[in-house]
Amino acid sequence: MTDIRQLLKEFECFAYGQSLHTAFTDLLDWTLIPFKQYPDTASQQAAFDTYRNHPKVNQLVRLIQLVGELSEGFCDPLGELYMQAISNGHNGQYFTPEPMCDMMAIMSVGNPTDGQSVADCACGSGRMLLSAAKINRHLKLYGADLDITCCKMALLNLLLNSLQGEIAHMNSLSNDFYRGYKVQTTLVNSYHMPYYVEFEEPEQSYIWLKPVKKAATKFNKPFEPVRASQSINGVQGSLF
């Protein structure tokens, strides 16, 4: 039975000779390589060759297998690994416990229909989105976070569970947009194969708040008072 302790042990072996934070970001980046949509077959093959030539490819593959096993049931092993190996004792970043996320999702999402949108403007590793997927996996899930590491964890959590939506690296308060990842699936041999598309233009994002266009009122000529088509014959009244 695989548990988080086994994942933590394997990760420490993988990180030998470098900092834990650097090793963790490397794990995320290398795990994302097979899921990315490339412009052509040659670019995809070159990326896969780079992946195979990783100096610790066997340990990397083993780690990815463990993460995949622990992700069943819409769980978040990446977030647990991050809190125990990276965040704890450093920047004090902790994620909402999964049972609490499940309760909040039930209270806020209710009984959603297929294709309904669910958004989390500070998604962290994507736990709230995973809890929403437990209710209905056919939702459109949208998450944003200021921390790029958290964005990549949330992105991987959507990919590992074949979910659809978007993860945006942005400041949800100031609406500053840095990078986005659209997550979709394609049918391959009766299996919904997940993939993501990376983009930098905020206009392509469904999360970024687009500016409201207001119609400008311009006066190009002097104002002309409107005159009645017929003369008005009235008597001015008197107050006295």
Side-chain angles (χ1 to χ4, degrees), residues 27-81:
L27 172 62
L28 297 178
D29 291 337
W30 286 95
T31 307
L32 285 170
I33 287 179
F35 292 104
K36 185 176 181 179
Q37 185 184 63
Y38 296 91
D40 49 60
T41 306
S43 300
Q44 183 183 43
Q45 188 61 44
F48 286 177
D49 290 340
T50 304
Y51 184 90
R52 297 186 186 97
N53 293 329
H54 189 282
K56 299 180 180 179
V57 62
N58 293 330
Q59 291 175 302
L60 179 63
V61 171
R62 176 58 180 161
L63 271 176
I64 296 174
Q65 289 176 342
L66 290 175
V67 171
E69 292 174 6
L70 292 169
S71 295
E72 293 185 6
F74 301 101
C75 295
D76 180 29
L78 289 170
E80 288 294 335
L81 178 61

Side-chain angles (χ1 to χ4, degrees), residues 109-118 132 135-140:
V109 177
N111 186 23
T113 57
D114 292 355
Q116 183 174 330
S117 298
V118 175
I135 302 174
N136 187 337
R137 65 169 294 109
H138 300 293
L139 300 173
K140 298 292 185 181

